[in-house]
Amino acid sequence: MSTEPPALPDAADRRQAITTPDHAFVWASAGTGKTHTLALRALYLLLNAPFLSPPEGEAVSLSAEIGSLYSASSRQERLKAARAIIGSLILTTFTRKAAAEMQTRLFRYLESVTAAESLSHLKATYVGSQAKVKDPLFYEIVQTVLKNLESGSPGQDMPVSAGLDEEKSFHRFQAGAQALSEQAAQLPISTIHSFAASILRRHPLQAGIPPTARFAREDEDDLVGVEDQVLERWWQQKVLADPQLQNELAQLLQVVPVRHIREWLKYSYRFRWMAEESEALPLKNEKEMQDLVDAGYALVRALAAGGGPKIVRERDRLDQILQGITSSEKGTLTELCQFIELVKSYFFLDKTTTKAIRLAIQALPPEHSRYFQSWTDFYVPVVRHCVAKEYGEIWTVWTGFLGRFIDWAEEAAMRELGLITFDEMIRLAVKLLEGDSSIRQAEQAKLLEGDSPIRQAEQAKLRALLVDEFQDTDPDQLRLFKALLKREPNAPHEVLGFFVGDPKQSIYRFRNADVRSIEDFQLHYERDTGCRLKHADFQLTTSFRSVPAVTRFVNHFFEKKLELPDYK
């Protein structure tokens, strides 16, 4: 009887994700081994670099350098090849801790190869029922490299292991792995902000970075108080010196206190998307407003049978406000907004525990009940109508005031404080790779026109970009990935993309992470990157962290919310 464990249901996807010659998206729930898959993909690209077909347009000298990892007779030549291979791969993670963990995993894999007494010893360590660490996919990568040593790499006159027995071939493989291990600390594994900063450090002049500017660090207090300092500079240098801004501020102060204006400006500086969405907030749609009022009246009627004192009180208050709106009484839309916020845990199906209210909502026709599933279903459109109807003029003043602040605040931390914040690292790197002349002095404009030479330089040495926690990517970060992967129609060089993520774990919406954007990127990958190689999608569905009862619950709970594979 075989003592080998049964194959995993998603074994084929795991294997293909690691070894695919194409671009790839790997969707993996928590506990399914996505970090393991990402590490093995990186390891596969490192160990097999001499045998992978070099990207068209890659410098001949670079291809020859990489190809000598296993064939070179001297240690110095192997180290030179290892440095070129290490520099051809970039891996971004979400935190420095995750980057350090990935670096450690790869180093351990390489060390396990170099420390093995023999190939059979390595196999016994990772494969079979008696294996100390069961990792058959790692051993498959080793076997792939050894087969490639026997068959040769593109452009080689003779296979590296020609005429060598298995153990000598394995020792040749170990020598190459040792060179990679010695260079592993140089592997570009970092957060996306650190990666963007590395691009800017290589091209500070073209990015317009002052010599005295410093980059924010995750382990320091550089960013403490930055928003307040930027806002204070704006207040002193612009508002107090500009009659138009002073006039706009005076109009705003008639409606809201100055502390709220400062807070809104501060949040808009931190989350730039808020300024963009502010312009689209007012909504003048009388039909939708009438639908909201009709839905409110429908709920009042459904609760007419009575109930406890609180139901009667809140029902009558809602009825009174709706009548005021119907009679076009000034301020009633504002009252409705305030009322809905007060009863958000009472009058809506997702929060209420009151049986009479639940039954009343469930009895409403769909065109009315849809507004009472969650309080935001009612509140958001009411606020938009309220802004348009009761605060339309002052909102126009506010968006103009906010827009001028955002324009001024662009790169303000670098310009005013000598500090490049994390968000500015991303934006500056994107502009640099896209060849945006707005970030350079006039005499530099010609340098980066059209297809950015800086992007060409960054791409030329790069074979693959691997991205972890892809579900937490925001639009600016996505632009950075697109800029690095972009292949112009007549350009021969193509950088492979490899993305690992899980839409269910996207928890950074408050930082503008956007699942819809990454799904659109996946759907239109060829269009957005101009790649010639296809992209493939893989699903990791076997959970190593949860018992079957938990995975069944997750499948059941999310099946109506997200389109998911059947996790095991």
Side-chain angles (χ1 to χ4, degrees):
M1 180 181 294
S2 173
T3 59
E4 292 294 322
L8 299 175
D10 56 357
D13 272 31
R14 292 176 185 274
R15 181 175 293 104
Q16 291 169 23
I18 293 166
T19 62
T20 180
D22 299 317
H23 304 262
F25 290 85
V26 180
W27 305 110
S29 189
T32 56
K34 63 182 180 189
T35 304
H36 174 252
T37 301
L38 185 63
L40 288 182
R41 173 60 172 172
L43 185 71
Y44 176 85
L45 293 172
L46 291 172
L47 291 175
N48 279 285
F51 313 112
L52 302 177
S53 297
E56 290 186 38
E58 181 176 85
V60 175
S61 58
L62 178 61
S63 295
E65 212 170 71
I66 288 175
S68 65
L69 179 67
Y70 302 116
S71 61
S73 57
S74 75
R75 175 174 174 273
Q76 291 305 317
E77 288 181 278
R78 291 193 295 272
L79 287 175
K80 187 177 180 181
R83 281 193 291 271
I85 292 170
I86 291 289
S88 72
L89 183 148
I90 289 174
L91 196 157
T92 71
T93 63
F94 205 69
T95 65
R96 294 179 68 187
K97 180 180 178 181
E101 179 188 349
M102 183 63 63
Q103 199 113 26
T104 300
R105 284 188 183 225
L106 286 170
F107 182 75
R108 285 176 178 168
Y109 277 130
L110 293 169
E111 281 291 286
S112 67
V113 171
T114 59
E117 297 175 4
S118 63
L119 180 60
S120 58
H121 177 266
L122 185 67
K123 180 178 181 180
T125 303
Y126 287 94
V127 181
S129 59
Q130 303 301 315
K132 295 178 182 178
V133 183
K134 288 186 173 61
D135 198 342
L137 287 175
F138 164 60
Y139 186 70
E140 286 185 27
I141 292 175
V142 171
Q143 288 182 307
T144 300
V145 177
L146 292 173
K147 288 179 181 177
N148 285 331
L149 283 169
E150 294 177 5
S151 59
S153 60
Q156 279 187 332
D157 295 329
M158 183 179 295
V160 175
S161 296
L164 299 180
D165 60 28
E166 182 182 87
E167 286 306 316
K168 288 183 178 179
S169 178
F170 180 64
H171 291 325
R172 183 66 64 92
F173 169 50
Q174 284 182 304
Q178 177 64 40
L180 287 170
S181 178
E182 291 180 37
Q183 297 295 318
Q186 305 305 316
L187 189 64
I189 303 178
S190 65
T191 65
I192 187 172
H193 298 104
S194 296
F195 168 56
S198 70
I199 295 175
L200 297 175
R201 287 190 177 100
R202 286 192 289 273
H203 311 282
L205 178 64
Q206 294 89 337
I209 297 175
T212 56
R214 69 188 190 281
F215 291 85
R217 290 173 56 89
E218 295 172 347
D219 56 353
E220 295 182 358
D221 294 331
D222 285 330
L223 297 179
V224 175
V226 166
E227 294 155 2
D228 290 321
Q229 292 180 64
V230 167
L231 191 56
E232 194 63 33
R233 298 288 179 96
W234 154 259
W235 221 258
Q236 292 177 358
Q237 296 179 13
K238 299 297 292 183
V239 177
L240 298 182
D242 188 328
Q244 180 182 352
L245 287 172
Q246 292 179 35
N247 179 57
E248 292 175 349
L249 178 61
Q251 295 180 64
L252 293 170
L253 289 174
Q254 295 178 19
V255 182
V256 292
V258 67
R259 70 177 185 278
H260 287 172
I261 295 174
R262 290 180 65 92
E263 286 299 310
W264 292 345
L265 290 174
K266 189 188 299 185
Y267 277 111
S268 297
Y269 174 75
R270 187 186 310 169
F271 308 116
R272 305 298 171 89
W273 57 270
M274 292 178 63
E276 298 173 4
E277 293 192 2
S278 293
E279 297 181 3
L281 181 62
L283 178 66
K284 295 180 180 180
N285 186 327
E286 295 301 327
K287 182 181 183 308
E288 182 173 4
M289 190 61 228
Q290 189 59 53
D291 289 344
L292 285 163
V293 172
D294 290 344
Y297 277 132
L299 182 61
V300 168
R301 291 192 297 271
L303 295 171
K310 184 175 181 180
I311 290 181
V312 173
R313 183 175 66 252
E314 304 298 359
R315 178 201 67 195
D316 291 348
R317 179 63 182 141
L318 176 59
D319 187 36
Q320 180 184 6
I321 295 172
L322 293 173
Q323 290 183 37
I325 293 173
T326 303
S327 302
S328 300
E329 293 180 16
K330 187 176 181 179
T332 48
L333 276 172
T334 301
E335 286 185 57
L336 182 59
C337 292
Q338 295 169 342
F339 174 78
I340 294 300
E341 189 165 9
L342 287 173
V343 299
K344 63 184 178 183
S345 61
Y346 189 63
F347 264 5
F348 298 91
L349 207 55
D350 64 333
K351 297 289 185 181
T352 187
T353 58
T354 305
K355 184 177 180 180
I357 292 177
R358 296 186 68 85
L359 292 174
I361 294 173
Q362 290 167 353
L364 296 176
E367 64 269 21
H368 294 152
S369 65
R370 68 188 181 96
Y371 290 109
F372 298 100
Q373 301 303 305
S374 169
W375 80 286
T376 55
D377 294 333
F378 199 102
Y379 183 76
V380 172
V382 168
V383 166
R384 297 179 69 190
H385 283 284
C386 179
V387 168
K389 196 169 181 97
E390 298 188 358
Y391 298 98
E393 292 184 9
I394 198 66
W395 190 263
T396 300
V397 173
W398 161 247
T399 53
F401 188 83
L402 176 61
R404 277 184 281 280
F405 169 70
I406 293 299
D407 289 344
W408 177 88
E410 185 74 21
E411 300 171 20
M414 179 176 70
R415 184 180 64 248
E416 303 292 330
L417 308 176
L419 176 68
I420 304 172
T421 65
F422 295 127
D423 289 340
E424 286 177 344
M425 291 177 199
I426 301 295
R427 285 192 287 269
L428 285 169
V430 168
K431 289 181 178 181
L432 196 61
L433 293 174
E434 290 181 345
D436 185 341
S437 62
S438 66
I439 65 171
R440 298 174 301 279
Q441 301 297 323
E443 62 269 19
Q444 299 167 341
K446 289 186 178 181
L447 182 62
L448 300 179
E449 285 179 354
D451 184 19
S452 165
I454 288 180
R455 180 171 67 199
Q456 293 177 5
E458 291 294 323
Q459 288 179 332
K461 61 185 179 183
L462 188 61
R463 285 187 166 190
L465 169 67
L466 287 72
V467 179
D468 194 13
E469 304 294 356
F470 186 50
Q471 75 279 352
D472 290 320
T473 302
D474 68 35
D476 282 337
Q477 294 167 352
L478 190 58
R479 280 182 64 196
L480 178 59
F481 294 143
K482 288 180 181 178
L484 201 61
L485 294 166
K486 182 72 174 177
R487 188 187 72 84
E488 296 300 323
N490 297 321
H493 188 60
E494 182 163 334
V495 178
L496 278 179
F498 187 84
F499 304 88
V500 179
D502 177 16
K504 299 191 304 305
Q505 296 184 66
S506 182
I507 58 174
Y508 285 91
R509 176 64 182 90
F510 69 94
R511 291 180 59 177
N512 207 25
D514 188 359
V515 171
R516 285 177 295 183
S517 292
I518 68 170
E519 289 176 342
D520 181 76
F521 176 61
Q522 175 214 9
L523 186 63
H524 301 104
Y525 187 81
E526 285 79 3
R527 178 200 67 189
D528 289 343
T529 64
C531 66
R532 287 177 297 183
L533 296 173
K534 63 181 182 180
H535 86 268
D537 299 295
F538 303 102
Q539 300 279 356
L540 306 188
T541 58
T542 302
S543 174
F544 302 102
R545 187 178 300 170
S546 303
V547 296
V550 173
T551 56
R552 284 196 297 270
F553 169 77
V554 171
N555 290 338
H556 175 73
F557 183 81
F558 281 101
E559 64 183 356
K560 295 180 181 178
K561 303 292 184 181
L562 294 169
E563 185 177 338
L564 299 174
D566 187 23
Y567 291 102
K568 306 298 183 184

